Amino acid sequence: MVTALYRRYRPETFAELIGQAQVTAPLMTALRTDRVNHAYLFSGPRGCGKTTSARILARCLNCAEGPTDTPCGVCPSCVELSRDGSGSLDVVEIDAASHNGVDDARDLRERAIFAPARDRYKIFILDEAHMVTPQGFNALLKIVEEPPAHVKFIFATTEPDKVIGTIRSRTHHYPFRLVPPAQMLEYLEQLCSSEKVEVAPGVLSLVVRSGGGSVRDSLSLLDQLIAGSEGGKVEYDRAAALLGFTHAALLDEVVDAFAAKNSAQVFASVDKVIQTGQDPRRFVEDLLEHLRDLIVILSVGDEAKSVLRGIPADELEKMKTQALGFGLAELTHAAETVNAALTEMSGATSPKLHLELMCAKVLVPSSDQTEVGSLARIERLERRIGVGSGDAASPAASVATVQASTQNATPVTRIGSEKPAGVSAPKAEKITEVSAPAGIGGVTLTQFKDSWPNILTLVNKKSKAAWMVAFALSVVDFAGDVLTLKFMSQKDLDSFKNASGASEVLRGAIMDVLGVQVKFKAQIDAKPEDAPAPAAPAEPAPVKADTKPMAVVEEVEPQDQAPAQEVAAAPEPKSAPEQKSRNSGMADESARYGESLLREMLGAEPMQDKNGK
Ligand SMILES: Nc1ncnc2c1ncn2[C@@H]1O[C@H](COP(=O)(O)OP(=O)(O)OP(=O)(O)O)[C@@H](O)[C@H]1O
Ligand SMILES: [Mg+2]
Ligand SMILES: [Zn+2]
């Protein structure tokens, strides 16, 4: 039988305490200069040294050489109050959790009257002081305020707020803190070497993370790992599994897949998380932590090693590659998405579902309309066409681009020279030319045409139905973010709009190949006899043109065809047969089509001021 690690290594002097300099330094000074108060309150999170410090303080006060900031360790008092000592008659440690009433307080009061048996002071340590009842505290008030010269009080508690104010104001309050990871890691390393156990790289940082800044918790975990290790060596796999961490290999797998936009791999890995019985929330936490590490690596460069302590060099190298694969903006976007998912997941009935949705969001920054989302898209685009240098200067530059382009993003477009056949002339002529952003990231029409086969292949992979429709299309123009597509017939256009999200699939494929988010504009391949179609006389429509761009190109999205539009606009030709002029024949047919095209595809409202109609 061995005693627990945290008991064997309980500090015996203030110098041995780690991470509590804010407390130990002033206390030691007070001891050295003999300005010791009669009552102390030690507060702070669990397992960070309150009880230990109370004992050390008692030892310092009662040391034969004292009061001193460093107990001699050899006098009878020091020996009795050491780690393995029997305890001293003059230091009374009271567990307030079980002695919390008025009677206990009275008892204490009576004991305090007697002088110390041997040493300088009679010291009362009230541990877990928050458990004392208000009545109990009130019974103590008087003696804590003006104790006999030989009495000292030390209260220790995790909840100082529960110690009544009148007691608190009679004490010197020293707040303890959680121990920072770096110090904890160093301490654990030291412990391992004095315990002569070998610990695989990465294990101690898992312990530190699990311990959450509490020394006792961290030591307990380490103790457990050592107890379960074979041949005096703590293995990484066992530690990760026992502590419930996502295995670094799995984490790498997911992050690599994210960086490569390999959805299949992402979802396969996520499935692995579920299948191995891991807590999805824990996985998301680990993922967030990993992404944060990558951000640090990308932002700090070679200095990262000193920021991310405890990560082995080869792992750091691997992470650097991962970080470069992402880019800062995309990383930030991913981290934000993951963070949001983490918040949403708490209390969610199906964390797995949230996890998968989160993955989808990380994979498709295009669905994110925030600035970070846009930045991520721009960055991807820059990388694709070899513009972005990936150095520190680029993020700032791309922020500017985003701001510029978002300002212009809305009514940007125009219906210019290549007006869709059948769109009635006057409105089309009324060009609302708003400064078009110079082809985002510099994708040109030529690039579009060159990449078209690739885009089609991708569409084919995603949806056969969409491919059938997209196959018959051709690219006519690309300006701003508007891609003009030529359809063979109205029927084609209809199926493009209706066929199971064909437009979305195409948009997604374009995003993946060229990294641009486009809006579609349709053009029908006009047959010669349709050409003179526009039946309406060329008549400017000044009233509306000023208030609103006539032909704002809307995205072709089935769900976007808001009923509002239909309500606002004139009734659809089909449902309004009276609009049909019997004798116009083909010309009218195509004008009607043009109108519906305007309304449905482009979101514009045809003027209903036509004399003849
Ligand atoms: N600052 C520290 N430096 C080194 N070891 C520490 C420190 N804090 C705690 N420990 C270790 O943790 C063990 C528990 O510490 P201690 O009993 O002082 O915690 P506590 O703050 O009183 O916690 P609780 O609020 O749970 O009572 C100690 O035996 C020691 O091994
Ligand atoms: Mg304690
Ligand atoms: Zn001593």
Side-chain angles (χ1 to χ4, degrees):
M1 247 282 298
V2 282
T3 49
L5 211 51
Y6 67 80
R7 287 181 59 194
R8 268 182 286 147
Y9 287 89
R10 187 190 285 275
E12 294 185 302
T13 63
F14 283 124
E16 287 173 40
L17 275 178
I18 58 160
Q20 307 296 356
Q22 80 284 1
V23 171
T24 52
L27 265 181
M28 287 167 82
T29 310
L31 283 165
R32 256 197 323 272
T33 52
D34 206 10
R35 274 178 297 189
V36 183
N37 194 38
H38 60 269
Y40 287 91
L41 173 61
F42 292 167
S43 72
R46 66 165 198 269
C48 59
K50 300 178 299 292
T51 307
T52 308
S53 298
R55 289 182 189 165
I56 296 173
L57 181 58
R59 206 166 176 236
C60 292
L61 287 171
N62 271 353
C63 175
E65 314 273 309
T68 164
D69 60 351
T70 316
C72 73
V74 292
C75 70
S77 162
C78 279
V79 171
E80 284 173 9
L81 290 174
S82 71
R83 222 171 359 228
D84 312 311
S86 54
S88 155
L89 270 181
D90 290 330
V91 177
V92 184
E93 202 171 314
I94 300 165
D95 173 17
S98 51
H99 298 87
N100 54 7
V102 186
D103 293 342
D104 298 303
R106 287 204 189 109
D107 181 46
L108 193 153
R109 240 168 29 190
E110 275 155 26
R111 283 162 74 181
I113 297 170
F114 298 106
R118 176 194 62 203
D119 300 324
R120 197 168 300 113
Y121 297 111
K122 189 129 195 134
I123 300 169
F124 294 95
I125 299 175
L126 269 105
D127 212 354
E128 318 293 341
H130 55 273
M131 303 293 276
V132 176
T133 59
Q135 292 83 348
F137 273 132
N138 280 323
L140 285 179
L141 264 187
K142 208 70 212 137
I143 191 152
V144 172
E145 182 171 19
E146 287 174 346
H150 61 263
V151 172
K152 303 277 176 206
F153 286 101
I154 307 173
F155 298 91
T157 178
T158 43
E159 295 167 75
D161 295 342
K162 287 201 183 149
V163 176
I164 59 170
T166 37
I167 289 277
R168 244 186 304 156
S169 73
R170 286 161 168 80
T171 61
H172 284 183
H173 184 179
Y174 286 91
F176 285 65
R177 305 221 182 91
L178 291 174
V179 175
Q183 262 170 306
M184 187 80 85
L185 193 74
E186 203 178 305
Y187 187 59
L188 295 186
E189 275 166 358
Q190 226 173 293
L191 267 181
C192 285
S193 67
S194 63
E195 283 287 301
K196 298 198 176 41
V197 280
E198 200 182 328
V199 177
V203 169
L204 288 184
S205 43
L206 292 187
V207 173
V208 170
R209 273 172 65 192
S210 267
S214 158
V215 187
R216 192 200 293 116
D217 289 3
S218 307
L219 291 191
S220 291
L221 290 169
L222 184 62
D223 213 5
Q224 191 180 350
L225 290 180
I226 293 174
S229 64
E230 313 241 15
K233 187 167 179 2
V234 182
E235 304 283 353
Y236 178 87
D237 290 3
R238 270 197 190 186
L242 186 70
L243 301 179
F245 281 103
T246 314
H247 198 287
L250 183 56
L251 219 47
D252 282 340
E253 196 177 293
V254 177
V255 172
D256 282 340
F258 272 133
K261 296 270 166 287
N262 184 345
S263 334
Q265 182 62 55
V266 168
F267 285 99
S269 309
V270 164
D271 188 53
K272 227 182 272 179
V273 173
I274 306 293
Q275 295 309 328
T276 50
Q278 267 201 64
D279 177 14
R281 229 187 108 81
R282 188 63 183 266
F283 169 75
V284 173
E285 269 174 35
D286 292 347
L287 182 61
L288 185 59
E289 185 115 354
H290 191 89
L291 289 172
R292 166 260 183 188
D293 289 352
L294 293 186
I295 291 176
V296 170
I297 289 177
L298 213 55
S299 320
V300 183
D302 288 337
E303 304 298 308
K305 207 185 305 177
S306 58
V307 183
L308 307 170
R309 268 164 237 128
I311 298 183
D314 55 335
E315 177 70 18
L316 211 58
E317 209 45 49
K318 201 161 53 181
M319 288 168 77
K320 202 183 269 175
T321 322
Q322 280 177 347
L324 289 175
F326 262 106
L328 195 54
E330 260 196 82
L331 262 179
T332 315
H333 170 258
E336 273 182 10
T337 314
V338 172
N339 189 27
L342 195 59
T343 323
E344 282 167 19
M345 273 169 97
S346 56
T349 39
S350 173
K352 174 174 185 266
L353 195 68
H354 277 272
L355 176 56
E356 287 170 344
L357 282 176
M358 176 203 82
C359 292
K361 279 191 205 155
V362 174
L363 282 166
V364 192
S366 54
S367 65
D368 183 347
Q369 297 303 331
T370 64
E371 187 168 309
V372 179
S374 316
L375 253 177
R377 296 201 291 278
I378 287 177
E379 193 178 71
R380 191 192 316 171
L381 175 58
E382 283 181 344
R383 232 172 318 123
R384 210 156 265 156
I385 58 179
V387 175
S389 49
D391 57 22
S394 72
S398 23
V399 170
T401 324
V402 166
Q403 278 160 356
S405 63
T406 42
Q407 277 157 15
N408 292 338
T410 19
V412 155
T413 36
R414 68 202 164 84
I415 287 193
S417 41
E418 310 141 314
K419 54 185 172 276
V423 170
S424 53
K427 285 153 220 162
E429 230 68 310
K430 193 74 203 169
I431 293 167
T432 347
E433 178 96 50
V434 187
S435 64
I440 303 167
V443 173
T444 62
L445 178 60
T446 328
Q447 272 174 315
F448 248 109
K449 288 190 166 163
D450 289 347
S451 319
W452 199 246
N454 293 344
I455 293 172
L456 283 183
T457 316
L458 207 61
V459 169
N460 188 13
K461 235 189 261 172
K462 289 185 181 175
S463 151
K464 275 277 184 292
W467 178 78
M468 300 264 281
V469 181
F471 187 71
L473 289 173
S474 52
V475 177
V476 177
D477 191 14
F478 179 63
D481 57 351
V482 180
L483 180 67
T484 311
L485 298 172
K486 188 146 81 183
F487 292 80
M488 303 296 279
S489 67
Q490 170 67 27
K491 233 180 106 221
D492 282 359
L493 174 57
D494 287 342
S495 37
F496 180 71
K497 283 187 289 177
N498 303 329
S500 57
S503 59
E504 269 322 302
V505 174
L506 182 59
R507 209 196 307 275
I510 291 172
M511 183 70 203
D512 285 348
V513 173
L514 287 172
V516 275
Q517 179 83 350
V518 296
K519 293 174 180 164
F520 295 125
K521 189 170 116 180
Q523 218 181 67
I524 308 282
D525 197 5
K527 302 209 172 58
E529 62 267 29
D530 285 352
E539 183 186 89
V543 194
K544 283 202 167 178
D546 289 340
T547 54
K548 170 178 177 188
M550 287 306 295
V552 175
V553 177
E554 292 282 343
E555 304 192 0
V556 186
E557 271 172 1
Q559 71 270 29
D560 263 1
Q561 292 168 10
Q565 268 181 27
E566 286 185 13
V567 175
E572 287 279 301
K574 271 179 218 154
S575 59
E578 70 274 10
Q579 279 196 0
K580 254 189 213 159
S581 159
R582 296 245 164 257
N583 37 16
S584 321
M586 287 296 272
D588 183 58
E589 185 74 0
S590 110
R592 188 170 58 78
Y593 155 60
E595 194 181 301
S596 75
L597 179 74
L598 249 188
R599 192 180 296 127
E600 286 184 35
M601 295 272 310
L602 315 176
E605 285 177 32
M607 309 283 291
Q608 286 306 316
D609 56 349
K610 300 294 145 51
N611 26 20
K613 289 182 142 198

